[in-house]
Amino acid sequence: MNFELSEEQKAFQNLAYKFALKEFEPLAKECDREEKYPRELWQKACEAGLVGIAIPEEYGGPGGGWMETALITEQLSRIDMGLGLAVMAATFGSENILNYGTEEQKKKYLSLLPTGQAIFAGAYTEPNAGSDVAGTTTKAVKDGSDYVINGSKMFITNGTICDYMVALCVTNPDTPKKTGRHSLIIVDANTPGITRTKIKGKMGIRASDTAEINFEDVRVPQENLVGKEGNGFHQLMHFFDMTRIMVASQGLGLAQGALDLALKYVQERKTFGFPLAANQAIQFQLAEMAMRIELARNIIYKAAWKADNGQLDPSLNAMAKYYAGETAVWVTDKALQMHGGYGYIDEYDIQRFYRDAKILEIYEGAKEIEKITIAKRLF
């Protein structure tokens, strides 16, 4: 078993970290305070080759895999998870086109993403259908050569700034099984009948755009169907099985960044005439933080390697996402505690890391859903 990264992977890792140091740090506080999406930063990331890393070369992408995605996400999130999400999630939803779309769809849409010509969104979650994906009620009814979409979506990443979205809709309401009623449909975000409202006041990842979307008699060509009609639920479950690797990597990077901040602070801060780092209790805490981070890193890298080698493991990916999210929440809590009162004020970045961490136990499958995914595969 070889744990060594390739030279190309190390180059991606190094590129992402240097990019984040240079471009994230000057913007992080401002984008967090103002809940501002960093469009210029996204363009720079496209120019640097950091967007759409897994898009194959024949569609204009770098042709990387899940390992490269994990490495880049980790390093960006190490500096700021909200800005990292703005970069990495610019392609969110397009993975369904790569997996199930027609050749025409792949050529039309995927090539727009690495070059900064378009941003995608995945319009899945609804006000009353989060973890219960099969409970989605947005309808797409056939009319001539179109679908007519009516319904609403909630907590949609990139909702107000995307150019296209892949929406989960009910197309086969009379199918006996709920999981056979839905389809994925590509929607131009500027189509008449779409209302997009930015959600403000989030606890964390405030640089990332999140929105409520309403569809009122929105007409979309039937040729925008992704994959097979009625297969949307299963396609989306496969999508989540894969993208949990990226979310797990966010948690890993955030936790590592929090440890970086803690290490710096405890060496600079003096109490009772000595640096905090001289206190054995602090050293033990730092050691446990480092241990949990390394355990998360190993399970994530294993999950990414298996995905890239045709051995996608939904259970392992759920474990990685669950553990990395829990680790991020735990590590940021300990890191903030080491900062004392300074960790509680806006001037110090650790409070932003602390706020950002909690979403990792909620989105892309709440931690309870990860346990269900794991448990189902134990028998």
Side-chain angles (χ1 to χ4, degrees):
M1 187 177 291
N2 184 7
F3 288 93
E4 189 68 25
L5 298 176
S6 70
E7 291 305 314
E8 185 178 20
Q9 289 168 340
K10 290 177 183 177
F12 274 125
Q13 190 180 46
N14 189 48
L15 171 66
Y17 185 58
K18 287 184 175 179
F19 180 87
L21 281 175
K22 179 183 177 182
E23 304 292 348
F24 283 17
E25 287 198 339
L27 290 175
K29 282 187 171 68
E30 176 188 352
C31 289
D32 177 62
R33 290 167 181 162
E34 299 179 12
E35 299 184 81
K36 186 169 100 176
Y37 179 82
R39 187 169 287 272
E40 289 185 8
L41 175 69
W42 160 67
Q43 288 283 358
K44 288 181 180 179
C46 289
E47 293 167 7
L50 294 172
V51 175
I53 196 70
I55 294 175
E57 292 180 2
E58 58 263 39
Y59 306 119
W66 283 106
M67 179 60 81
E68 288 76 19
T69 299
L71 293 169
I72 291 171
T73 303
E74 176 188 352
Q75 295 305 317
L76 297 181
S77 302
R78 186 176 170 186
I79 304 302
D80 186 81
M81 196 175 93
L83 294 175
L85 181 61
V87 170
M88 298 304 293
T91 62
F92 190 70
S94 70
E95 295 87 352
N96 293 296
I97 299 173
L98 180 59
N99 291 333
Y100 300 105
T102 64
E103 191 62 24
E104 291 74 18
Q105 289 172 342
K106 292 175 184 178
K107 289 178 179 177
K108 179 178 179 180
Y109 296 107
L110 296 182
S111 61
L112 302 174
L113 296 166
T115 53
Q117 297 178 71
I119 293 173
F120 255 77
Y124 313 132
T125 302
E126 295 188 358
N128 295 307
S131 297
D132 180 18
V133 177
T136 297
T137 59
T138 295
K139 292 180 173 62
V141 179
K142 287 181 177 178
D143 182 36
S145 61
D146 294 337
Y147 285 112
V148 179
I149 303 176
N150 284 279
S152 60
K153 299 293 181 179
M154 180 61 81
F155 304 126
I156 305 306
T157 299
N158 300 334
T160 71
I161 52 95
C162 68
D163 300 287
Y164 301 97
M165 63 187 86
V166 175
L168 182 68
C169 305
V170 176
T171 53
N172 303 68
D174 299 324
T175 299
K177 288 190 70 174
K178 285 175 67 176
T179 55
R181 298 174 184 172
H182 301 82
S183 301
L184 293 173
I185 300 171
I186 303 167
V187 181
D188 186 322
N190 295 304
T191 305
I194 296 177
T195 303
R196 302 187 277 174
T197 306
K198 183 178 177 69
I199 296 173
K200 297 182 179 180
K202 290 185 301 183
M203 176 180 172
I205 55 168
R206 289 159 64 90
S208 174
D209 181 74
T210 310
E212 179 180 1
I213 301 177
N214 289 293
F215 301 91
E216 187 174 350
D217 295 330
V218 176
R219 301 190 76 89
V220 178
Q222 288 183 33
E223 65 187 33
N224 285 18
L225 174 70
V226 179
K228 184 179 177 182
E229 190 174 83
N231 246 23
F233 175 85
H234 299 289
Q235 292 169 0
L236 192 57
M237 291 302 99
H238 179 62
F239 166 85
F240 286 133
D241 284 339
M242 294 189 304
T243 56
R244 281 174 180 146
I245 295 171
M246 189 197 84
V247 179
S249 303
Q250 287 182 298
L252 171 59
L254 183 77
Q256 182 63 61
L259 177 58
D260 293 342
L261 291 175
L263 285 167
K264 183 175 184 292
Y265 183 81
V266 299
Q267 292 177 81
E268 295 173 349
R269 174 70 170 170
K270 289 188 176 182
T271 58
F272 304 104
F274 297 95
L276 270 176
N279 187 310
Q280 193 176 59
I282 294 292
Q283 293 173 12
F284 284 178
Q285 191 74 85
L286 290 166
E288 188 171 355
M289 291 159 74
M291 177 179 67
R292 294 194 188 200
I293 290 168
E294 189 59 26
L295 289 171
R297 181 173 288 113
N298 275 271
I299 193 172
I300 292 167
Y301 286 10
K302 180 181 179 181
W305 183 89
K306 292 191 74 172
D308 286 340
N309 284 274
Q311 302 172 39
L312 183 73
D313 188 336
S315 179
L316 183 65
N317 295 353
M319 290 178 186
K321 196 265 183 184
Y322 178 97
Y323 187 72
E326 187 177 72
T327 296
V329 170
W330 188 85
V331 168
T332 53
D333 177 66
K334 302 306 178 188
L336 190 149
Q337 188 70 25
M338 289 179 188
H339 282 71
Y342 290 106
Y344 203 68
I345 60 177
D346 180 67
E347 181 184 349
Y348 285 75
D349 289 338
I350 191 59
Q351 54 78 31
R352 190 175 70 251
F353 280 60
Y354 180 86
R355 288 185 286 107
D356 286 347
K358 187 57 189 176
I359 193 63
L360 295 162
E361 296 189 316
I362 299 172
Y363 70 4
E364 209 81 4
K367 60 190 296 187
E368 292 79 11
I369 296 298
E370 310 306 343
K371 287 183 178 180
I372 292 172
T373 300
I374 296 163
K376 280 181 176 179
R377 289 164 172 81
L378 294 177
F379 299 97

Coordinates of all heavy atoms in Angstrom, one line a residue, residues 223-288:
E223 N -35.4 18.1 -23.6 CA -34.0 17.6 -23.9 C -33.1 17.9 -22.8 O -31.9 17.4 -22.8 CB -33.5 18.2 -25.2 CG -33.3 19.7 -25.1 CD -33.0 20.3 -26.5 OE1 -33.4 19.9 -27.5 OE2 -32.2 21.3 -26.5
N224 N -33.5 18.7 -21.8 CA -32.7 19.0 -20.6 C -32.8 17.9 -19.5 O -32.1 18.1 -18.5 CB -33.1 20.4 -20.0 CG -32.6 21.5 -20.9 OD1 -32.2 21.4 -22.0 ND2 -32.6 22.7 -20.3
L225 N -33.5 16.9 -19.8 CA -33.6 15.8 -18.8 C -32.2 15.1 -18.7 O -31.5 14.9 -19.7 CB -34.6 14.7 -19.3 CG -34.7 13.4 -18.5 CD1 -35.3 13.7 -17.2 CD2 -35.4 12.4 -19.3
V226 N -31.8 14.9 -17.5 CA -30.5 14.3 -17.2 C -30.7 12.8 -16.9 O -31.3 12.5 -16.0 CB -29.7 14.9 -16.1 CG1 -28.4 14.2 -15.8 CG2 -29.5 16.4 -16.4
G227 N -30.1 11.9 -17.8 CA -30.3 10.5 -17.6 C -31.7 10.1 -17.9 O -32.4 10.6 -18.8
K228 N -32.2 9.1 -17.2 CA -33.5 8.5 -17.5 C -34.6 9.1 -16.6 O -34.4 9.3 -15.4 CB -33.4 7.0 -17.3 CG -34.7 6.2 -17.6 CD -34.5 4.7 -17.4 CE -35.7 3.9 -17.6 NZ -35.6 2.5 -17.4
E229 N -35.7 9.4 -17.2 CA -36.9 9.9 -16.5 C -37.3 8.9 -15.4 O -37.4 7.7 -15.7 CB -38.0 10.2 -17.4 CG -39.1 11.0 -16.7 CD -40.2 11.4 -17.7 OE1 -41.1 10.6 -17.9 OE2 -40.2 12.6 -18.2
G230 N -37.5 9.4 -14.2 CA -37.9 8.5 -13.1 C -36.7 8.0 -12.3 O -36.9 7.3 -11.3
N231 N -35.5 8.3 -12.8 CA -34.3 7.8 -12.1 C -33.6 8.8 -11.3 O -32.5 8.6 -10.8 CB -33.3 7.3 -13.2 CG -33.1 5.8 -13.1 OD1 -34.0 5.1 -12.6 ND2 -32.0 5.3 -13.6
G232 N -34.2 10.0 -11.1 CA -33.5 11.1 -10.5 C -33.1 10.8 -9.0 O -32.0 11.3 -8.6
F233 N -34.0 10.2 -8.3 CA -33.6 9.9 -6.9 C -32.4 9.1 -6.8 O -31.4 9.4 -6.0 CB -34.8 9.2 -6.2 CG -34.5 8.7 -4.8 CD1 -34.6 9.6 -3.7 CD2 -34.0 7.4 -4.5 CE1 -34.3 9.2 -2.4 CE2 -33.7 7.0 -3.2 CZ -33.9 7.9 -2.2
H234 N -32.3 8.0 -7.6 CA -31.1 7.1 -7.5 C -29.9 7.8 -8.0 O -28.8 7.6 -7.5 CB -31.4 5.8 -8.3 CG -32.6 5.1 -7.7 ND1 -32.5 4.4 -6.5 CD2 -33.9 4.9 -8.2 CE1 -33.7 3.8 -6.3 NE2 -34.5 4.1 -7.3
Q235 N -30.0 8.6 -9.1 CA -28.9 9.4 -9.6 C -28.4 10.3 -8.5 O -27.1 10.5 -8.4 CB -29.3 10.1 -10.8 CG -29.6 9.3 -12.0 CD -30.3 10.0 -13.2 OE1 -30.5 11.2 -13.1 NE2 -30.6 9.3 -14.3
L236 N -29.3 11.0 -7.8 CA -28.9 11.9 -6.8 C -28.2 11.2 -5.6 O -27.3 11.8 -5.0 CB -30.1 12.7 -6.3 CG -29.8 14.0 -5.5 CD1 -28.9 14.9 -6.2 CD2 -31.1 14.7 -5.1
M237 N -28.7 10.1 -5.2 CA -28.0 9.3 -4.1 C -26.6 9.0 -4.5 O -25.7 9.0 -3.7 CB -28.8 8.0 -3.8 CG -30.2 8.3 -3.2 SD -30.1 9.2 -1.6 CE -30.5 10.9 -2.2
H238 N -26.4 8.6 -5.8 CA -25.0 8.3 -6.2 C -24.2 9.6 -6.2 O -23.0 9.6 -5.8 CB -25.1 7.8 -7.6 CG -23.7 7.5 -8.2 ND1 -22.9 6.5 -7.7 CD2 -23.1 8.0 -9.3 CE1 -21.8 6.5 -8.4 NE2 -21.8 7.4 -9.4
F239 N -24.8 10.7 -6.6 CA -24.1 12.0 -6.5 C -23.6 12.3 -5.1 O -22.5 12.7 -4.9 CB -25.1 13.1 -7.0 CG -24.7 14.5 -6.7 CD1 -23.9 15.2 -7.5 CD2 -25.2 15.2 -5.6 CE1 -23.5 16.5 -7.3 CE2 -24.9 16.5 -5.3 CZ -24.0 17.2 -6.1
F240 N -24.5 12.1 -4.1 CA -24.2 12.4 -2.7 C -23.1 11.4 -2.2 O -22.2 11.8 -1.4 CB -25.4 12.3 -1.8 CG -26.3 13.5 -1.9 CD1 -27.7 13.4 -2.0 CD2 -25.8 14.8 -1.9 CE1 -28.5 14.5 -2.2 CE2 -26.6 15.9 -2.0 CZ -27.9 15.8 -2.2
D241 N -23.2 10.2 -2.7 CA -22.2 9.2 -2.3 C -20.8 9.6 -2.7 O -19.8 9.4 -2.0 CB -22.5 7.8 -2.9 CG -23.6 7.1 -2.2 OD1 -23.9 7.4 -1.1 OD2 -24.2 6.2 -2.9
M242 N -20.7 10.3 -3.8 CA -19.4 10.8 -4.3 C -19.0 12.1 -3.6 O -17.9 12.3 -3.1 CB -19.4 11.0 -5.8 CG -19.6 9.8 -6.6 SD -19.4 10.1 -8.4 CE -20.6 11.4 -8.7
T243 N -19.9 13.1 -3.6 CA -19.5 14.4 -3.2 C -19.3 14.5 -1.7 O -18.7 15.5 -1.2 CB -20.6 15.5 -3.6 OG1 -21.9 15.1 -3.1 CG2 -20.7 15.6 -5.1
R244 N -19.6 13.5 -0.9 CA -19.3 13.5 0.5 C -17.8 13.5 0.7 O -17.3 13.9 1.8 CB -19.9 12.3 1.2 CG -21.4 12.5 1.5 CD -22.1 11.3 2.0 NE -23.5 11.7 2.3 CZ -24.5 10.8 2.1 NH1 -24.3 9.6 1.7 NH2 -25.8 11.2 2.3
I245 N -17.0 13.0 -0.3 CA -15.6 13.1 -0.2 C -15.1 14.6 -0.1 O -14.2 14.9 0.7 CB -14.9 12.4 -1.4 CG1 -15.3 10.9 -1.4 CG2 -13.4 12.6 -1.4 CD1 -14.9 10.1 -2.6
M246 N -15.7 15.4 -0.9 CA -15.4 16.8 -0.9 C -15.7 17.5 0.4 O -14.9 18.3 0.9 CB -16.0 17.6 -2.1 CG -15.5 19.0 -2.3 SD -16.6 20.0 -3.3 CE -17.8 20.6 -2.0
V247 N -16.9 17.2 0.9 CA -17.4 17.8 2.1 C -16.5 17.3 3.3 O -16.1 18.1 4.2 CB -18.9 17.5 2.4 CG1 -19.3 18.1 3.7 CG2 -19.7 18.1 1.3
A248 N -16.1 16.1 3.3 CA -15.2 15.5 4.3 C -13.9 16.3 4.3 O -13.3 16.6 5.3 CB -15.0 14.1 4.1
S249 N -13.4 16.6 3.1 CA -12.2 17.3 2.9 C -12.3 18.7 3.4 O -11.3 19.3 3.8 CB -11.8 17.3 1.4 OG -11.6 16.0 0.9
Q250 N -13.5 19.3 3.3 CA -13.7 20.7 3.9 C -13.4 20.6 5.4 O -12.8 21.4 6.0 CB -15.1 21.1 3.7 CG -15.4 21.6 2.2 CD -16.8 22.1 2.1 OE1 -17.8 21.3 2.4 NE2 -17.0 23.3 1.8
G251 N -14.0 19.6 6.0 CA -13.8 19.4 7.5 C -12.4 19.2 7.9 O -11.9 19.7 8.8
L252 N -11.7 18.4 7.0 CA -10.2 18.1 7.3 C -9.4 19.4 7.2 O -8.6 19.7 8.1 CB -9.7 17.1 6.3 CG -8.2 16.9 6.2 CD1 -7.7 16.4 7.6 CD2 -7.9 15.9 5.1
G253 N -9.7 20.2 6.1 CA -8.9 21.4 6.0 C -9.2 22.5 7.0 O -8.3 23.1 7.6
L254 N -10.5 22.6 7.4 CA -10.9 23.5 8.5 C -10.2 23.1 9.8 O -9.7 24.0 10.5 CB -12.4 23.5 8.6 CG -13.0 24.5 9.6 CD1 -13.0 25.9 9.1 CD2 -14.4 24.1 10.0
A255 N -10.3 21.9 10.1 CA -9.6 21.4 11.4 C -8.1 21.7 11.4 O -7.6 22.1 12.4 CB -9.9 19.9 11.6
Q256 N -7.5 21.4 10.2 CA -6.0 21.7 10.1 C -5.8 23.2 10.3 O -4.8 23.6 11.0 CB -5.5 21.2 8.8 CG -4.0 21.3 8.6 CD -3.2 20.5 9.6 OE1 -3.3 19.3 9.7 NE2 -2.4 21.2 10.5
G257 N -6.6 24.0 9.7 CA -6.4 25.4 9.8 C -6.6 25.9 11.2 O -5.9 26.8 11.7
A258 N -7.6 25.3 11.9 CA -7.8 25.7 13.3 C -6.6 25.3 14.2 O -6.2 26.0 15.1 CB -9.1 25.0 13.8
L259 N -6.0 24.1 13.9 CA -4.8 23.7 14.6 C -3.7 24.6 14.3 O -2.9 25.0 15.2 CB -4.5 22.3 14.2 CG -3.2 21.7 14.9 CD1 -3.3 21.7 16.4 CD2 -2.9 20.3 14.4
D260 N -3.5 25.1 13.1 CA -2.5 26.0 12.7 C -2.6 27.3 13.5 O -1.6 27.8 14.0 CB -2.6 26.4 11.2 CG -2.3 25.2 10.3 OD1 -1.6 24.2 10.7 OD2 -2.6 25.3 9.1
L261 N -3.8 27.8 13.6 CA -4.1 29.0 14.4 C -3.8 28.8 15.8 O -3.2 29.7 16.5 CB -5.5 29.5 14.2 CG -5.9 30.0 12.8 CD1 -7.4 30.3 12.8 CD2 -5.2 31.2 12.4
A262 N -4.2 27.7 16.4 CA -3.9 27.4 17.8 C -2.4 27.3 18.1 O -1.9 27.8 19.1 CB -4.6 26.1 18.2
L263 N -1.7 26.6 17.2 CA -0.3 26.5 17.4 C 0.4 27.8 17.4 O 1.3 28.1 18.2 CB 0.3 25.6 16.3 CG 0.0 24.1 16.5 CD1 0.4 23.3 15.2 CD2 0.8 23.5 17.6
K264 N 0.0 28.7 16.5 CA 0.6 30.0 16.4 C 0.3 30.8 17.7 O 1.2 31.4 18.3 CB 0.1 30.7 15.2 CG 0.7 32.1 15.0 CD 0.2 32.7 13.6 CE 0.8 34.0 13.3 NZ 0.4 35.1 14.2
Y265 N -0.9 30.7 18.1 CA -1.3 31.6 19.3 C -0.7 31.1 20.6 O -0.2 31.9 21.4 CB -2.9 31.5 19.4 CG -3.4 32.4 20.5 CD1 -3.6 33.7 20.4 CD2 -3.7 31.9 21.8 CE1 -4.0 34.6 21.4 CE2 -4.1 32.7 22.8 CZ -4.3 34.0 22.6 OH -4.7 34.8 23.6
V266 N -0.6 29.8 20.8 CA -0.1 29.3 22.1 C 1.4 29.6 22.2 O 2.0 29.6 23.3 CB -0.4 27.8 22.4 CG1 -1.9 27.6 22.4 CG2 0.3 26.9 21.3
Q267 N 2.1 29.8 21.1 CA 3.5 30.1 21.2 C 3.8 31.6 21.4 O 4.8 32.0 21.9 CB 4.2 29.6 19.9 CG 4.3 28.1 19.7 CD 4.9 27.7 18.4 OE1 6.1 27.6 18.3 NE2 4.0 27.3 17.5
E268 N 2.8 32.4 21.0 CA 2.9 33.8 21.2 C 2.4 34.3 22.5 O 2.9 35.3 23.1 CB 2.2 34.5 20.0 CG 2.8 34.3 18.7 CD 2.0 34.9 17.5 OE1 0.8 35.3 17.8 OE2 2.5 34.9 16.4
R269 N 1.3 33.7 23.0 CA 0.6 34.2 24.2 C 1.3 33.7 25.5 O 1.6 32.5 25.6 CB -0.8 33.6 24.2 CG -1.7 33.9 25.4 CD -2.0 35.4 25.5 NE -3.0 35.5 26.6 CZ -3.3 36.7 27.1 NH1 -2.8 37.8 26.6 NH2 -4.2 36.8 28.0
K270 N 1.6 34.6 26.3 CA 2.2 34.3 27.6 C 1.3 34.4 28.8 O 0.5 35.4 28.9 CB 3.5 35.2 27.8 CG 4.6 34.9 26.9 CD 5.9 35.7 27.3 CE 7.1 35.3 26.4 NZ 8.3 36.0 26.8
T271 N 1.3 33.4 29.7 CA 0.6 33.5 30.9 C 1.5 33.0 32.0 O 2.3 32.1 31.9 CB -0.7 32.5 30.9 OG1 -0.2 31.2 30.6 CG2 -1.7 33.0 29.8
F272 N 1.4 33.7 33.1 CA 2.2 33.4 34.3 C 3.7 33.4 33.9 O 4.5 32.7 34.5 CB 1.9 32.1 34.9 CG 0.4 32.0 35.3 CD1 -0.5 31.3 34.5 CD2 -0.1 32.7 36.4 CE1 -1.8 31.2 34.9 CE2 -1.4 32.6 36.8 CZ -2.3 31.9 36.0
G273 N 4.1 34.3 32.9 CA 5.5 34.4 32.5 C 6.0 33.4 31.5 O 7.2 33.5 31.2
F274 N 5.1 32.5 31.1 CA 5.6 31.5 30.1 C 4.6 31.4 28.9 O 3.4 31.7 29.1 CB 5.7 30.1 30.8 CG 6.7 30.0 31.9 CD1 6.3 30.2 33.2 CD2 8.0 29.8 31.6 CE1 7.2 30.2 34.2 CE2 9.0 29.7 32.6 CZ 8.6 29.9 33.9
P275 N 5.1 31.0 27.8 CA 4.1 30.8 26.6 C 3.1 29.7 27.0 O 3.4 28.7 27.7 CB 5.0 30.3 25.5 CG 6.4 30.8 25.9 CD 6.5 30.7 27.4
L276 N 1.9 29.8 26.5 CA 0.9 28.8 26.7 C 1.4 27.4 26.3 O 1.0 26.4 26.9 CB -0.4 29.1 26.0 CG -1.5 30.0 26.7 CD1 -2.6 30.3 25.7 CD2 -2.0 29.3 27.9
A277 N 2.2 27.4 25.2 CA 2.7 26.1 24.7 C 3.5 25.3 25.7 O 3.7 24.1 25.5 CB 3.5 26.4 23.4
A278 N 4.0 26.0 26.7 CA 4.8 25.3 27.7 C 4.0 24.5 28.7 O 4.5 23.7 29.5 CB 5.7 26.3 28.5
N279 N 2.7 24.8 28.7 CA 1.8 24.1 29.6 C 1.5 22.7 29.1 O 1.0 22.5 27.9 CB 0.5 24.9 29.7 CG -0.5 24.4 30.7 OD1 -0.8 23.2 30.7 ND2 -0.9 25.3 31.6
Q280 N 1.7 21.7 29.9 CA 1.6 20.3 29.4 C 0.1 20.0 29.1 O -0.2 19.2 28.1 CB 2.1 19.3 30.5 CG 2.2 17.9 29.9 CD 2.8 16.9 30.9 OE1 2.3 16.7 32.0 NE2 3.9 16.3 30.6
A281 N -0.8 20.6 29.8 CA -2.2 20.4 29.4 C -2.6 20.8 28.0 O -3.3 20.2 27.3 CB -3.1 21.1 30.5
I282 N -2.0 22.0 27.7 CA -2.2 22.5 26.3 C -1.5 21.6 25.3 O -2.1 21.3 24.2 CB -1.6 23.9 26.2 CG1 -2.3 24.9 27.1 CG2 -1.5 24.4 24.7 CD1 -3.7 25.2 26.6
Q283 N -0.3 21.1 25.6 CA 0.4 20.2 24.7 C -0.4 18.9 24.5 O -0.5 18.4 23.3 CB 1.8 19.8 25.3 CG 2.7 21.0 25.4 CD 4.0 20.6 26.1 OE1 4.3 19.5 26.4 NE2 4.8 21.6 26.4
F284 N -1.0 18.3 25.5 CA -1.8 17.1 25.4 C -3.0 17.4 24.5 O -3.4 16.6 23.7 CB -2.3 16.6 26.8 CG -1.2 15.9 27.6 CD1 -1.5 15.5 28.8 CD2 0.1 15.7 27.0 CE1 -0.5 14.8 29.6 CE2 1.1 15.1 27.8 CZ 0.8 14.6 29.0
Q285 N -3.6 18.6 24.7 CA -4.8 18.9 23.9 C -4.4 19.1 22.4 O -5.1 18.6 21.5 CB -5.4 20.2 24.3 CG -6.8 20.5 23.8 CD -7.9 19.7 24.3 OE1 -8.4 20.0 25.4 NE2 -8.2 18.6 23.7
L286 N -3.3 19.7 22.1 CA -2.8 19.9 20.8 C -2.5 18.5 20.1 O -2.8 18.3 18.9 CB -1.6 20.8 20.7 CG -1.8 22.2 21.0 CD1 -0.5 22.9 21.3 CD2 -2.5 22.9 19.9
A287 N -1.9 17.6 20.9 CA -1.6 16.3 20.4 C -2.9 15.5 20.0 O -2.9 14.9 19.0 CB -0.9 15.5 21.5
E288 N -3.9 15.6 20.8 CA -5.2 15.0 20.5 C -5.8 15.6 19.2 O -6.4 14.9 18.4 CB -6.2 15.0 21.6 CG -7.4 14.1 21.4 CD -8.3 13.9 22.6 OE1 -7.9 14.4 23.7 OE2 -9.3 13.3 22.4

